Amino acid sequence: YAQQQLHFTGVEKANAVDLVESRSADYIDFAGLLLAGMLIGLLGVANDAAIEVASAMEEVNEANPDLSIPRLMTSGMNVGTDILGTMTNTVVFLYFGMRLLIVLTVAGTAIFPFTTMQLFSLGVVAAEIVRVVAGTLGLVITIPLTAGISALLHLQARRRKAVYA
């Protein structure tokens, strides 16, 4: 949605334009490549968070098998909240660390002759901001979904165990 609304072309960088000119016979969907890169980053963050939440819930369940399912889910959400904070910081540091010159410009170093608003409107910077927001939203969706699915799986396992006991 953000890619369409912000009109990202995927050709905000000079090297992408050079690539188009050198391979003019072939069509390259740069907007699609940009979206694919964002989705790959999002999936990496979401996968990491899901594994951490599910693993923590498994450990809590092993340590206290008599814990109620709602309390187990609450434990998963508490762990998820911590993960959300640390992973969001990781995403911000990752994306803006790759764009250190832009960060220095925003901080007041006169490397580029742009105002802060002009800088934020550049496609490269706007794409990085969208990546951070998408990664954070991915975490916000992934954590409760993982906690809920994990709680349901533990509930089913307990019911199967009770039937066979």
Side-chain angles (χ1 to χ4, degrees):
Y1 174 79
Q3 184 175 10
Q4 290 175 349
Q5 294 303 312
L6 296 173
H7 306 289
F8 290 145
T9 63
V11 192
E12 282 81 20
K13 298 179 184 177
N15 59 353
V17 174
D18 291 341
L19 185 61
V20 170
E21 290 174 354
S22 69
R23 307 227 355 138
S24 62
D26 296 331
Y27 173 74
I28 300 172
D29 181 8
F30 285 100
L33 288 174
L34 177 66
L35 179 61
M38 287 182 182
L39 289 175
I40 289 169
L42 170 64
L43 289 173
V45 170
N47 181 57
D48 193 27
I51 295 297
E52 290 178 30
V53 169
S55 178
M57 289 179 71
E58 182 64 29
E59 288 298 317
V60 168
N61 188 61
E62 294 262 334
N64 187 0
D66 296 326
L67 194 66
S68 71
I69 293 300
R71 182 66 186 109
L72 180 62
M73 183 159 173
T74 300
S75 295
M77 289 298 293
N78 289 341
V79 169
T81 301
D82 294 340
I83 292 168
L84 178 64
T86 59
M87 290 293 288
T88 299
N89 286 337
T90 300
V91 168
V92 169
F93 290 142
L94 170 71
Y95 289 130
F96 288 114
M98 292 174 18
R99 306 283 185 239
L100 192 54
L101 284 176
I102 294 169
V103 173
L104 289 173
T105 301
V106 171
T109 307
I111 297 172
F112 300 113
F114 298 120
T115 66
T116 302
M117 288 312 294
Q118 287 173 324
L119 192 63
F120 284 146
S121 68
L122 291 175
V124 173
V125 177
E128 295 305 320
I129 292 169
V130 169
R131 286 176 202 244
V132 169
V133 171
T136 303
L137 287 175
L139 288 171
V140 168
I141 293 168
T142 299
I143 290 168
L145 190 62
T146 302
I149 291 170
S150 183
L152 287 174
L153 291 174
H154 281 97
L155 178 63
Q156 288 177 346
R158 288 178 184 182
R159 286 181 178 163
R160 278 194 302 271
K161 193 174 186 180
V163 168
Y164 293 118

